[in-house]
């Protein structure tokens, strides 16, 4: 029985690895196709070598931007078509190699490839928010994301005007003692997540809440509307919604973000 289980798991892992390699091969091939076509076409120009070299050099940046834009579109389309998403409410051992875990892993691989190649050019631009939407995130209007550390896009729901600072980490998964756990992250309108902060799984931030730089919000917490949170773990320091709802003076230490149990 143990041997049969091992072979089934090995077969699932092998199939998952093969499919992700095939998908990334096709997607990256489609993304670089315009650049390859341009290079091929350039070789037919009846121009002196120095002119062809100059024009080719000038085409590097436009071709890079076009290729990475195509990479974002093709990757989002492929994951949507294949159903590669992070399931909500998972709690499964990684070593089991279940289909839910392997689908999550393939989804994260595609996200990682995009953020490595396209992220440096498009982060903190409307195009980056557009890609997140294409890849499953629920984003309101005027959402500004200046971070490449957003994972599990389909488990992220941001309201209008949300700002994610540089290098902030927001994802819908965590691995604890070899167990993969997932839950949605909901940020209400006007929420600010500061530079280098970490927002745990299952967190709900009510409208106007602010998470200061280098702050860690533990999993399954609720951040009150209009409150400011700082520290490790996050604790409210000011804001009408952080304490009893009547408002408190700036600088007063308020209770830690309210815990919530997983759904």
């Amino acid at each position: 029985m143990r041997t049969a289980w091992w072979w089934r798991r090995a077969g699932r892992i092998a199939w998952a690895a093969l499919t992700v390699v095939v998908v990334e091969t096709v997607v990256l091939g489609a993304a670089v196709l315009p650049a390859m076509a341009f290079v091929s076409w350039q070789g037919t120009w009846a121009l002196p070598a120095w002119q062809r070299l100059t024009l080719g050099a000038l085409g590097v940046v436009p071709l890079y931007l076009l290729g990475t834009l195509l990479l974002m579109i093709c990757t989002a389309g492929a994951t949507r078509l294949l159903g590669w998403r992070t399931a909500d409410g998972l709690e499964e051992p990684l070593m089991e190699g279940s289909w839910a875990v392997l689908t999550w892993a393939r989804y994260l691989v595609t996200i990682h490839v995009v953020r490595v190649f396209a992220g440096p050019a498009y982060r903190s631009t409307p195009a980056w928010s557009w890609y997140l939407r294409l890849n499953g995130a629920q984003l309101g209007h005027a959402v500004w994301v200046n971070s490449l550390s957003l994972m599990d896009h389909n488990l992220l729901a941001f309201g209008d005007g949300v700002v994610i600072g540089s290098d902030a980490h927001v994802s819908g998964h965590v691995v604890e003692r070899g167990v993969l756990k997932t839950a949605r992250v909901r940020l209400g309108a006007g929420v600010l997540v500061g530079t280098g902060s970490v927002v745990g799984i299952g967190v709900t931030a009510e409208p106007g809440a602010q998470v200061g730089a280098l702050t860690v919000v533990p999993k399954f917490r609720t951040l009150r509307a209009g409150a400011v949170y700082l520290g490790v773990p996050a604790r409210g320091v000011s804001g009408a919604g952080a304490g009893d709802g009547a408002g408190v003076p700036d600088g007063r230490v308020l209770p830690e973000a309210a815990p919530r149990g997983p759904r």
Side-chain angles (χ1 to χ4, degrees):
M1 290 292 292
R2 183 70 179 177
T3 301
W5 172 84
W6 190 93
W7 279 110
R8 285 196 299 271
R9 187 189 66 163
R12 290 194 300 268
I13 294 173
W15 175 253
L18 176 63
T19 55
V20 80
V21 168
V22 170
V23 167
E24 289 304 320
T25 299
V26 173
V27 165
L28 287 169
V32 302
L33 186 59
M36 298 294 291
F38 175 80
V39 172
S40 178
W41 176 51
Q42 186 190 23
T44 65
W45 296 354
L47 295 173
W50 70 270
Q51 290 183 2
R52 290 200 305 270
L53 181 62
T54 300
L55 292 174
L58 292 175
V60 169
V61 171
L63 289 171
Y64 166 73
L65 293 176
L66 176 60
T68 49
L69 182 63
L70 289 174
L71 176 63
M72 292 191 292
I73 295 172
C74 293
T75 299
T79 58
R80 183 182 296 271
L81 179 65
L82 296 170
W84 290 359
R85 293 288 187 266
T86 301
D88 188 14
L90 282 181
E91 191 166 340
E92 299 193 22
L94 289 178
M95 290 301 295
E96 293 291 333
S98 68
W99 282 117
V101 169
L102 294 174
T103 298
W104 161 78
R106 288 182 289 186
Y107 188 38
L108 260 62
V109 168
T110 64
I111 291 173
H112 179 68
V113 171
V114 171
R115 71 179 184 175
V116 167
F117 289 102
Y122 286 105
R123 63 184 288 180
S124 75
T125 70
W128 193 242
S129 297
W130 177 64
Y131 159 67
L132 296 177
R133 288 191 188 93
L134 287 178
N135 208 36
Q138 301 175 31
L139 305 186
H141 298 293
V143 172
W144 187 68
V145 179
N146 187 28
S147 174
L148 302 181
S149 297
L150 273 67
M151 308 298 288
D152 311 288
H153 298 160
N154 68 296
L155 296 184
L156 306 181
F158 299 168
D160 296 344
V162 167
V163 175
I164 307 296
S166 176
D167 299 321
H169 181 87
V170 184
S171 77
H173 83 270
V174 66
V175 178
E176 297 177 340
R177 298 180 180 179
V179 176
L180 171 67
K181 301 178 181 180
T182 67
R184 294 186 180 277
V185 177
R186 296 179 172 87
L187 306 182
V191 167
L192 167 67
V193 178
T195 299
S197 294
V198 177
V199 177
I201 67 171
V203 167
T204 294
E206 297 175 349
Q210 298 184 38
V211 178
L214 303 177
T215 295
V216 176
V217 182
K219 61 183 181 180
F220 298 109
R221 298 299 176 101
T222 295
L223 307 183
R224 311 276 180 82
V228 176
Y229 291 86
L230 299 172
V232 182
R235 296 183 66 86
V237 295
S238 68
D244 57 9
V248 293
D250 289 346
R252 175 179 168 186
V253 177
L254 299 174
E256 188 177 336
R260 296 187 296 110
R263 288 188 297 265

